[in-house]
Amino acid sequence: MTKKAVKRRKKRNNHSGMVIIACVVLILCIVLTYNSVQLKERLAADQESVEMLQEDIEEQRELKEALEQKESYMDSEEYKQELAREKLGLAGPNDIIFKKR
């Protein structure tokens, strides 16, 4: 083979190799772009879930506070007297009792 033929063959091989490398790089870019889009969508969904869970946590805190207030009221003497009046029909020492005839 002549030197020119060898040079042509090398150029063709180099050109073919460059085309193959370009295709591989293009495919990698496409795959990475696709995965990036999917990750962004997943991130948005996860952020929405976090926001919903934060709202649930706040609701539970408010419920807990309300229950603690109710518990402290139920432990009070005032609640016990009110319950005795309503459920048991008892009267306090300063209460006036009316009877039906």
Side-chain angles (χ1 to χ4, degrees):
M1 281 213 236
T2 65
K3 287 184 177 182
K4 285 185 178 182
V6 171
K7 282 185 179 181
R8 281 186 207 150
R9 182 176 278 174
K10 282 185 179 180
K11 279 186 178 181
R12 269 190 259 147
N13 286 341
N14 283 344
H15 184 67
S16 298
M18 292 297 263
V19 169
I20 291 171
I21 290 173
C23 288
V24 169
V25 169
L26 180 64
I27 290 171
L28 285 174
C29 288
I30 291 171
V31 169
L32 290 174
T33 303
Y34 177 76
N35 287 340
S36 175
V37 169
Q38 282 188 333
L39 286 174
K40 285 180 183 178
E41 290 175 358
R42 184 174 173 189
L43 178 63
D46 289 347
Q47 286 176 338
E48 185 177 322
S49 296
V50 167
E51 290 174 5
M52 289 175 52
L53 290 172
Q54 290 290 347
E55 291 174 5
D56 288 346
I57 288 171
E58 186 60 34
E59 288 175 8
Q60 292 300 319
R61 283 183 183 150
E62 291 172 3
L63 179 62
K64 179 185 174 189
E65 184 178 324
L67 288 174
E68 286 173 349
Q69 289 176 353
K70 186 173 182 178
E71 180 184 24
S72 66
Y73 172 69
M74 291 177 83
D75 285 339
S76 70
E77 193 63 33
E78 178 186 347
Y79 174 76
K80 292 175 185 174
Q81 288 176 357
E82 182 183 322
L83 188 63
R85 284 188 183 108
E86 289 178 8
K87 301 289 181 178
L88 302 175
L90 300 178
N94 297 331
D95 290 344
I96 300 173
I97 301 173
F98 295 99
K99 293 183 180 180
K100 289 186 181 179
R101 287 191 174 183

